[in-house]
Each structure stands twice: as structure tokens, then as C-alpha cells.
Amino acid sequence: MTAPRAIHFADPLPAPTLDQPAPERCIGTPPRRTTWELYEQQGISMGVWACEPGAWKIAFHAHRHEFFQVLEGRLQLIADSGEVREYGPGDGAIIPAGFSGVFKVIEAVKKRYVMVDQPAG
């Protein structure tokens, strides 16, 4: 059995997956999203994510948290409460479990992410 190895964001990126937000969640034209997932195990995933400008509704379930750091571009998180937070290159943030609102890409964005899905209970 091979010992686990540390994962680094500088590791070569795997083949990307492309997708778009579901049309019923989009505000306007669904933007194209690209994900390079470097790691996924036991409720933790990490990688690099890029997206064209656009906006869509998000709702994290009660056990999902995401840390991200913007590498390029600008984005906003607009909470259902009306609070607007904007992030650009170098900024990092956590989207907490239970967050709902709008994810808006203002300028084509690339970010590093780590998502943690905690087991219920």
C-alpha cells in the first residue's frame, strides 16, 4: 500500500470538468465554470475553480463549508439578508454552512477552494 502524499496547489492540474449553474438558479445567462479538482476524500475536496461573469443563487446545506482564495478577477457574495461582500486577487473567505444568497462573478475569476462536508450529527 502506498503512503498518502501531501497535496499542494502547485501540483499539476488534472483534466478539468466544465459545467454551468442550473438554469432555474441563474440570474441571466448561465456562465461556464471550470473545475480542476486536486483532492476529494471523506467529505473534503480542494482544487482550482474558474468562472466567466454571471450570477446565480446558492444555498449551502447545513454541513458544507467552503474556504476560497481569489487568484484572478472579482466576485461578490450577496447574502439573502442584503449584505454584499466583494473579493479580488489575494482575498480569502469562508462561505459558512447554511449560507444562502447570490454568487456573482463580476470579472472572470479563478480561485483556489477547499470544501468540507461534515457528517450530520
Side-chain angles (χ1 to χ4, degrees):
M1 178 197 258
T2 305
R5 67 177 187 84
I7 309 297
H8 193 293
F9 279 111
D11 289 346
L13 294 174
T17 58
L18 302 174
D19 75 345
Q20 294 177 302
E24 64 273 11
R25 292 179 31 217
C26 285
I27 300 166
T29 303
R32 186 176 64 173
R33 304 182 296 196
T34 306
T35 303
W36 296 268
E37 192 161 65
L38 289 163
Y39 180 86
E40 181 179 20
Q41 274 192 25
Q42 301 175 351
I44 298 173
S45 62
M46 69 173 270
V48 177
W49 181 88
C51 187
E52 301 171 335
W56 61 96
K57 297 174 190 171
I58 62 171
F60 275 36
H61 62 68
H63 304 286
R64 171 170 284 170
H65 305 269
E66 178 185 349
F67 165 80
F68 68 85
Q69 180 183 33
V70 177
L71 302 172
E72 303 169 4
R74 297 202 76 71
L75 66 90
Q76 289 181 337
L77 289 174
I78 305 163
D80 285 343
S81 67
E83 179 185 27
V84 178
R85 302 292 304 263
E86 188 166 319
Y87 305 91
D91 292 338
I94 290 178
I95 303 174
F99 178 88
S100 64
V102 172
F103 193 101
K104 182 176 183 180
V105 176
I106 300 165
E107 298 171 7
V109 75
K110 183 181 259 187
K111 67 177 182 151
R112 292 178 173 150
Y113 70 88
V114 176
M115 276 200 208
V116 177
D117 287 317
Q118 296 176 310

